[in-house]
Amino acid sequence: MKRFRRHGHESQRDRLKQELFQFTKTVEHGFPHQPSALGYSPSLQLMAIGTRSGAIKLYGAPGVEFMGLHDENAAVTQVFFMPHQVELVTLLDDNSLHMWTLRGHKGLSELLEIGRFLLTGPPGAPPSVTRVTAVLAHSSGELLLLGTEGGHVFIVEVPGFRELEERNISLEQVTSCVPDDYIGRRNLEHVEALQENPINSNQVAVGYGRGLMVIWDLQQRHAIRHIPATQLESMWWTEDGSSILSSHSDGSYCCWTLRAEDESEEEEKSDVPYGHFPCKAITKIVQLPTAGGPPFLLFSGGMPRASYGDRHCITVIHSKTQVAFDFTSRIIDFFVIRDGSQHTGEPSALVVLVEEELVVIDLQTDAWPIIQTPYLVPLHSSAITCSHHVSAIPLKLWERIIAAGVVQNTHYSKKPWPIRGGQNLAPDPPQRDLLLTGHEDGTVRFWDASGVCLYPLYKLSTAAVFNADADLNDNMSQSAEGEWPPFRKVGCFDPYSDDPRLGIQKIHLCKYSGYLTVAGTAGQILMLELNDEAAEQTVEAKVVDLLQGQEGFRWKGHTQLDVREEPVLFPPGFQPFTVVQCQPPAVVTALTLHSEWKLVAFGTSHGFGVFDYLQKNNVLVKCTLNPSDQLAMEGPLSRVKSIKKSLRQSFRRIRRSRVSLRKHHISSTTKIQEANARLEAELAEMELAPVQRKIEARSSDDSFTGLVRTLYFADTFLSDSSHNTPSLWAGTNGGSVFAYILSIPPLEHRADDVVTAQPAKEIQLMHRAPVVGIVVLDGHGAPLPEPLETAHDLARSPDMLGSHHVLVISEEQFKVFTLPKVSTKMKLKLTAVDGSRVRRVGVAWFGSSRTEDYGESGLVFLTNQGDVHVLSLPHVKMQVRYPCIRREDVSGIASCVFTKQGQGFYLMSPSEFERFSLSTRYLVEPRCLVEAPLQLVSSNQHQPKLEGASSALRSTQDTEDAESAARRVMEHALLNDEKVLQEIQKSLEGDQMSFPENNVKSSVA
């Protein structure tokens, strides 16, 4: 009966787990890693970005995001939306074509791959014949034109991907239409560009690599005219159809006026925009008309090769204004957004995708300012070095941070975000969340992490506090008066740090008091307070000697940063008032803040300390350095490596493994049999436990045993079981835990009386595994609330009647000790069971998806295998385990940060955060809808119908779903007259499966 009761209890617990825990990767924040292609649909107002890893991402209005991944591990080279449809086509570098669609499902849209196609040539033909180099999505939405490396143009019907062989444009057909004197001189080479005549969809221009441009009639299937030019890079057919612009590899572009009759084209003067010296190629050119003035001319490249060949530029020319926008990385592609319901009005914004960021330029405001992006912000504008998440920000603090950020963003355009496709149907976030990222250049960036878009709110720079080397290139980036080319630096990607010592390593923000502390690479800890006004002040520096005068140690690493002695003007926002400088100036490895007690604790590889930032004096300094640990004296930026030390440790490990093997080696057969007999008898009497592997205790001589991994403030019982006192807990890399009792004066004497600390307890874990987390549990087994959380009535007061416990989390196991005696109560082994080690840890609250008022606290941790686990508190039992990150992704595992609601972030690339959730109740994921655009009557009145395409599609149109056919007629009936309503009535009354195709066509025409 006992077994059955237990089984019933377990099944009930399993049901509860399903209500509490669920692993979901929800959304990717940041900028796509290694983008390789860009596309845009004016009718859908959606932008598509393809990457080298085969991902395809769609973006519309803020919150409207879709993501797909090709099965093939190949780069996306081109992306094209089908005109006036919800389909798009991708071309990969393995020469495969893929069709995607946005399909509705339960009131939401999802991105699905619906077809793939590989162009096949005649038997025995070389691969170059079918290697696609240019793609044109025909305005009919029914054809794809594929130009190839062999010079052929294949015509493919979509969405079925059926090749129309009789309509293909072969190289032989083209050469037969071109005069012999031109063909005889050179080979045409590959198809470089394809363009459709904007006013006659039967005509397309085929541009070949060697320069020949041929205008081909798709209906008559012959060449109308040819245009000889030099080495071709791109083409653009002007909107009125009167001329073609061609850009070339020598940095020039030409405008070819097309005669109405069969006469030779008139080439206007070839223009080399940037001088007489050799220039780089103009890779893309676009010309767009304006209502009452000269057109906009935009082109990429064309810079003088010798002087500015390393610049990544797009030039915009309008009237007498010319600007060469100088970008921070290589240009992938660009497009222009236009006004009007038909998107044929005035050019309004230039959208440029470069390798490391997306830049949008307002073309309708004087000086063409930048429009701030609500998503795709380059998180890695300076390399991310640490992250810190703060949940449920109070409204007052939130508004003050936003106000400080608004002051920093006055240089941006006031225009709204121009890409507005789709509908964001996600509910409003239940709370305001902040994600803080520390960067290599000494900046801390504040992000709104409440919803799908990771939106930048405010940027804090710490460099002004120190006498760091100034960036001499800042003033050189802006163009001087009369400079040629007229450069203007745009974009915020700047991976170069003036001084690597400025790098931020740890961040802690108190959301109730507005105090912030950040710590850096050179042992600097800054205390900052939020101020709504600019202030000029001197930052006071305090030095803390963590070695406490021990002799025989010499720091071989980098020097400390020098704090400015003169007053510094700080803008509104977080302003530093004290700098604590550790000596030696090693990397700060642990940091925590208690704003109620006005204390900050910090640790390095040499020890830890507590600083009173109200009275600005040291409370506690403890050296944890092992006398034999010379590596801790070298610093992370030192290139000196102790080869002897490494060899000595290797030999010690080999010796220890050999000795342990000898000890366990039994040569006698009798002893083996006796041991087996005893073992069988024991197993028969006891319940089988999980197989545990033997974990060898780490030597105290191992490097960095004194490195402080975690610091924790707690109000708990350390001296006796009847008096709770403030305390500090510190865990080191060598498995040591130090506990100190803190004496905090009463509030009325806090500014005058000194805070003191005295040692209370010390724990040494048997296996000396690094301590990565410490949590004190109250009398109910719940984690203690954050400082000031109870005072603001946001958490219930901790139970001080029952006995407290301290949970010590090492890399290898979880151990619960009673307080104040510090005796072991329970433990859970991890490494001994599955070989993994704890890398990141956090406490989270999991609410039930079924019952609103039920929830549990859990310990969330990530292992070196990339798995995420949840442990129950206070019983420390394994609840769930999910694979999350590839175990080879060491940087992703190291960057993981957990939230208080059971979510997490980790860097899936240097520029992207992957967001995941372990909770069934708290999910932040895109929920959006994209509807098919209405193709207005006026858009197709001037375009003749392609006879071949309609006949090719007739067989598929006959089997079209009746419901969608009727819907198309209804949509267009609203735009025409009431006569069409009669056709709708007939179609609904009659046999819908045999709905006549000409009725649909007539309602569209």
Side-chain angles (χ1 to χ4, degrees):
M1 289 297 294
K2 184 179 178 181
R3 287 186 179 178
F4 286 110
R5 283 200 305 270
R6 185 179 176 186
H7 177 73
H9 174 73
E10 287 181 353
S11 62
Q12 182 182 353
R13 182 61 193 171
D14 289 339
R15 285 195 298 270
L16 193 56
K17 286 180 186 178
Q18 293 177 0
E19 296 172 10
L20 293 172
F21 311 115
Q22 168 189 309
F23 180 76
T24 315
K25 289 189 176 181
T26 53
V27 66
E28 296 172 2
H29 297 301
F31 184 77
H33 185 51
Q34 295 182 328
S36 53
L38 177 68
Y40 181 67
S41 170
S43 57
L44 295 176
Q45 295 191 69
L46 290 180
M47 172 178 64
I49 295 177
T51 70
R52 291 188 205 171
S53 60
I56 178 76
K57 300 187 178 187
L58 272 60
Y59 301 92
V64 177
E65 298 183 10
F66 301 93
M67 191 259 183
L69 188 64
H70 294 87
D71 294 335
E72 297 80 3
N73 188 17
V76 180
T77 56
Q78 295 188 53
V79 180
F80 290 94
F81 282 91
M82 299 306 295
H84 307 288
Q85 297 180 22
V86 291
E87 281 79 32
L88 68 153
V89 176
T90 56
L91 172 66
L92 307 188
D93 66 355
D94 65 357
N95 208 42
S96 61
L97 287 157
H98 300 256
M99 175 75 78
W100 299 80
T101 188
L102 289 168
R103 184 171 293 169
H105 179 66
K106 295 182 179 179
L108 301 174
S109 298
E110 54 185 2
L111 182 63
L112 297 173
E113 183 179 353
I114 57 173
R116 61 187 65 189
F117 174 69
L118 194 63
L119 197 60
T120 56
S128 62
V129 172
T130 55
R131 180 75 184 173
V132 179
T133 55
V135 180
L136 173 63
H138 196 268
S139 61
S140 65
E142 301 169 348
L143 298 178
L144 278 180
L145 279 70
L146 310 175
T148 66
E149 199 175 286
H152 304 280
V153 177
F154 294 86
I155 299 181
V156 176
E157 164 208 332
V158 287
F161 279 129
R162 187 170 70 88
E163 183 184 342
L164 306 178
E165 295 184 13
E166 70 281 359
R167 315 246 354 253
N168 291 344
I169 307 171
S170 67
L171 192 60
E172 292 74 20
Q173 289 175 296
V174 173
T175 53
S176 64
C177 302
V178 178
D180 293 338
D181 59 342
Y182 186 83
I183 293 297
R185 293 200 307 270
R186 70 190 81 181
N187 178 22
L188 295 182
E189 289 192 354
H190 62 279
V191 177
E192 184 68 54
L194 291 167
Q195 283 284 314
E196 181 181 341
N197 189 340
I199 63 171
N200 185 353
S201 61
N202 280 324
Q203 295 180 2
V204 294
V206 183
Y208 293 91
R210 279 293 178 89
L212 178 68
M213 293 177 286
V214 175
I215 298 177
W216 187 268
D217 191 305
L218 294 174
Q219 200 164 15
Q220 302 299 325
R221 302 177 191 174
H222 66 78
I224 299 174
R225 53 178 65 107
H226 72 280
I227 305 170
T230 57
Q231 191 84 26
L232 188 69
E233 288 288 330
S234 73
M235 293 188 306
W236 180 262
W237 208 321
T238 56
E239 195 168 85
D240 58 4
S242 63
S243 56
I244 291 178
L245 274 74
S246 62
S247 68
H248 306 279
S249 59
D250 60 356
S252 66
Y253 70 89
C254 304
C255 182
W256 307 84
T257 303
L258 303 178
R259 302 280 185 173
E261 301 167 358
D262 241 353
E263 300 178 10
S264 61
E265 286 66 39
E266 178 184 340
E267 177 193 353
E268 296 184 4
K269 185 180 179 182
S270 177
D271 191 0
V272 183
Y274 290 111
H276 307 290
F277 296 104
C279 293
K280 298 193 75 175
I282 294 179
T283 54
K284 182 175 180 178
I285 189 165
V286 172
Q287 181 175 295
L288 297 171
T290 57
F296 271 90
L297 180 66
L298 309 93
F299 59 85
S300 58
M303 288 293 118
R305 189 177 295 275
S307 305
Y308 305 106
D310 58 340
R311 301 285 186 104
H312 311 286
C313 295
I314 290 181
T315 300
V316 181
I317 303 173
H318 179 239
S319 187
K320 296 180 179 179
T321 305
Q322 178 170 343
V323 175
F325 291 104
D326 186 8
F327 295 89
T328 56
S329 51
R330 185 174 63 89
I331 296 167
I332 305 298
D333 202 353
F334 69 90
F335 62 84
V336 179
I337 298 176
R338 304 172 69 179
D339 286 339
S341 58
Q342 292 294 300
H343 312 288
T344 55
E346 298 285 313
S348 63
L350 167 64
V351 181
V352 185
L353 176 67
V354 298
E355 215 163 34
E356 304 293 351
E357 61 184 319
L358 182 82
V359 180
V360 181
I361 299 167
D362 179 4
L363 296 179
Q364 293 186 342
T365 304
D366 293 341
W368 296 337
I370 304 297
I371 300 175
Q372 188 174 18
T373 55
Y375 46 73
L376 292 174
V377 184
L379 306 174
H380 64 315
S381 51
S382 174
I384 294 177
T385 49
C386 66
S387 303
H388 176 64
H389 187 274
V390 188
S391 301
I393 302 293
L395 180 60
K396 186 176 181 181
L397 176 64
W398 185 264
E399 291 174 343
R400 294 176 70 191
I401 291 173
I402 289 177
V406 168
V407 177
Q408 298 176 337
N409 296 333
T410 54
H411 61 287
Y412 285 116
S413 170
K414 305 299 182 187
K415 285 288 184 70
W417 181 244
I419 302 172
R420 298 186 286 270
Q423 303 172 46
N424 179 15
L425 302 180
D428 292 334
Q431 60 187 27
R432 295 169 292 274
D433 290 349
L434 271 180
L435 180 67
L436 283 69
T437 54
H439 297 262
E440 195 179 51
D441 61 355
T443 58
V444 178
R445 287 172 167 83
F446 290 63
W447 307 87
D448 178 0
S450 313
V452 173
C453 294
L454 195 66
Y455 187 76
L457 297 178
Y458 166 72
K459 183 173 82 169
L460 163 70
S461 177
T462 63
V465 180
F466 305 100
N467 289 313
D469 296 332
D471 188 4
L472 300 176
N473 294 322
D474 276 356
N475 296 327
M476 297 171 61
S477 63
Q478 301 300 325
S479 60
E481 189 70 28
E483 181 190 357
W484 191 261
F487 290 119
R488 184 191 301 172
K489 194 81 174 174
V490 287
C492 60
F493 177 70
D494 183 13
Y496 306 107
S497 173
D498 299 335
D499 192 330
R501 296 175 297 173
L502 289 169
I504 305 297
Q505 298 296 328
K506 296 290 175 182
I507 307 170
H508 195 111
L509 170 68
C510 176
K511 61 186 177 184
Y512 304 111
S513 63
Y515 281 105
L516 170 70
T517 178
V518 296
T521 304
Q524 72 272 24
I525 299 102
L526 284 79
M527 283 302 308
L528 306 101
E529 189 175 13
L530 189 56
N531 191 348
D532 298 329
E533 303 293 333
E536 187 173 14
Q537 60 193 33
T538 304
V539 180
E540 189 175 350
K542 294 287 185 178
V543 178
V544 176
D545 182 13
L546 291 176
L547 295 179
Q548 296 179 291
Q550 294 190 32
E551 297 181 357
F553 294 97
R554 187 168 62 88
W555 173 249
K556 302 175 184 176
H558 50 270
T559 59
Q560 70 179 53
L561 287 163
D562 296 324
V563 179
R564 293 182 188 270
E565 297 179 356
E566 68 275 8
V568 180
L569 178 63
F570 295 104
F574 285 95
Q575 298 171 353
F577 59 88
T578 301
V579 174
V580 179
Q581 178 61 58
C582 296
Q583 288 293 351
V587 173
V588 177
T589 56
L591 183 71
T592 189
L593 173 72
H594 201 297
S595 51
E596 188 175 357
W597 301 340
K598 301 293 190 291
L599 299 177
V600 60
F602 50 88
T604 71
S605 55
H606 306 119
F608 60 91
V610 177
F611 183 79
D612 180 352
Y613 61 83
L614 180 64
Q615 298 185 10
K616 298 184 180 178
N617 57 28
N618 298 327
V619 174
L620 164 68
V621 178
K622 167 70 174 177
C623 179
T624 58
L625 184 67
N626 191 317
S628 63
D629 191 0
Q630 289 298 319
L631 283 179
M633 301 304 296
E634 293 180 0
L637 303 181
S638 171
R639 297 190 177 186
V640 180
K641 296 296 178 185
S642 177
I643 300 175
K644 290 183 180 179
K645 178 79 173 177
S646 302
L647 290 173
R648 194 181 302 120
Q649 288 175 349
S650 301
F651 283 123
R652 279 178 184 167
R653 290 193 190 96
I654 294 170
R655 261 190 241 113
R656 281 201 299 267
S657 62
R658 287 176 178 171
V659 169
S660 62
L661 284 172
R662 287 196 204 101
K663 285 181 179 177
H664 293 88
H665 181 68
I666 303 173
S667 57
S668 172
T669 309
T670 309
K671 289 183 179 180
I672 294 175
Q673 292 173 349
E674 291 175 359
N676 286 339
R678 284 196 304 270
L679 183 61
E680 288 174 3
E682 290 173 1
L683 289 176
E685 295 177 1
M686 62 180 284
E687 186 180 354
L688 281 172
V691 177
Q692 296 186 3
R693 50 187 88 189
K694 179 176 171 58
I695 304 299
E696 188 177 330
R698 307 185 189 199
S699 169
S700 60
D701 294 336
D702 284 352
S703 299
F704 294 110
T705 54
L707 185 144
V708 180
R709 293 287 293 269
T710 184
L711 292 163
Y712 181 74
F713 284 114
D715 188 357
T716 186
F717 301 93
L718 266 182
S719 57
D720 58 64
S721 57
S722 57
H723 298 91
N724 57 298
T725 57
S727 63
L728 172 75
W729 299 74
T732 71
N733 218 36
S736 299
V737 178
F738 302 94
Y740 283 78
I741 293 177
L742 303 173
S743 176
I744 311 290
L747 191 61
E748 59 270 16
H749 302 293
R750 178 65 182 85
D752 303 318
D753 295 352
V754 177
V755 179
T756 60
Q758 63 182 41
K761 306 289 181 182
E762 184 174 340
I763 305 171
Q764 178 60 60
L765 299 181
M766 185 184 301
H767 290 304
R768 301 183 183 275
V771 178
V772 295
I774 298 171
V775 178
V776 172
L777 307 174
D778 68 6
H780 292 308
L784 296 184
E786 294 180 15
L788 294 174
E789 192 172 12
T790 306
H792 285 75
D793 296 327
L794 295 171
R796 65 176 178 83
S797 298
D799 178 61
M800 292 297 181
L801 299 176
S803 58
H804 283 202
H805 297 84
V806 60
L807 170 60
V808 176
I809 304 121
S810 74
E811 283 190 355
E812 298 178 1
Q813 64 183 14
F814 307 85
K815 208 163 188 177
V816 178
F817 298 90
T818 60
L819 291 177
K821 290 184 178 180
V822 191
S823 57
T824 304
K825 183 178 181 181
M826 67 181 80
K827 66 179 176 181
L828 176 68
K829 294 182 179 180
L830 181 72
T831 309
V833 175
D834 63 7
S836 58
R837 298 182 185 274
V838 178
R839 285 289 179 258
R840 311 293 286 181
V841 66
V843 175
W845 173 260
F846 294 93
S848 170
S849 59
R850 188 174 181 180
T851 309
E852 191 70 27
D853 56 353
Y854 181 78
E856 293 181 5
S857 286
L859 189 77
V860 188
F861 66 92
L862 175 71
T863 70
N864 62 336
Q865 303 296 314
D867 296 334
V868 178
H869 303 244
V870 180
L871 293 183
S872 63
L873 292 176
H875 305 295
V876 193
K877 290 186 178 180
M878 196 73 72
Q879 299 300 300
V880 288
R881 170 183 177 177
Y882 304 105
C884 180
I885 311 175
R886 292 181 301 107
R887 63 181 179 182
E888 298 83 12
D889 187 3
V890 179
S891 60
I893 292 172
S895 66
C896 183
V897 58
F898 294 111
T899 78
K900 300 292 184 184
Q901 277 74 40
Q903 299 186 63
F905 299 81
Y906 71 89
L907 285 172
M908 57 182 293
S909 74
S911 60
E912 290 172 291
F913 272 116
E914 175 84 73
R915 186 174 191 148
F916 62 89
S917 176
L918 295 161
S919 171
T920 55
R921 186 183 294 182
Y922 299 102
L923 277 176
V924 175
E925 58 183 348
R927 295 176 60 84
C928 34
L929 176 66
V930 175
E931 296 177 336
L934 297 178
Q935 189 173 351
L936 300 183
V937 182
S938 59
S939 63
N940 275 339
Q941 280 181 346
H942 61 277
Q943 297 193 4
K945 189 66 184 172
L946 289 179
E947 175 266 329
S950 60
S951 62
L953 287 177
R954 190 160 290 125
S955 60
T956 58
Q957 286 281 21
D958 289 338
T959 60
E960 184 180 17
D961 190 317
E963 184 181 346
S964 63
R967 190 188 309 119
R968 287 175 61 185
V969 178
M970 287 182 186
E971 290 171 349
H972 294 296
L974 298 175
L975 302 172
N976 293 296
D977 52 35
E978 296 182 358
K979 293 180 181 179
V980 187
L981 293 173
Q982 299 173 2
E983 301 289 344
I984 298 172
Q985 188 65 28
K986 291 178 183 177
S987 67
L988 294 176
E989 291 175 356
D991 182 10
Q992 293 185 345
M993 292 303 294
S994 59
F995 191 93
E997 183 187 342
N998 57 353
N999 285 347
V1000 182
K1001 297 297 182 184
S1002 63
S1003 65
V1004 177

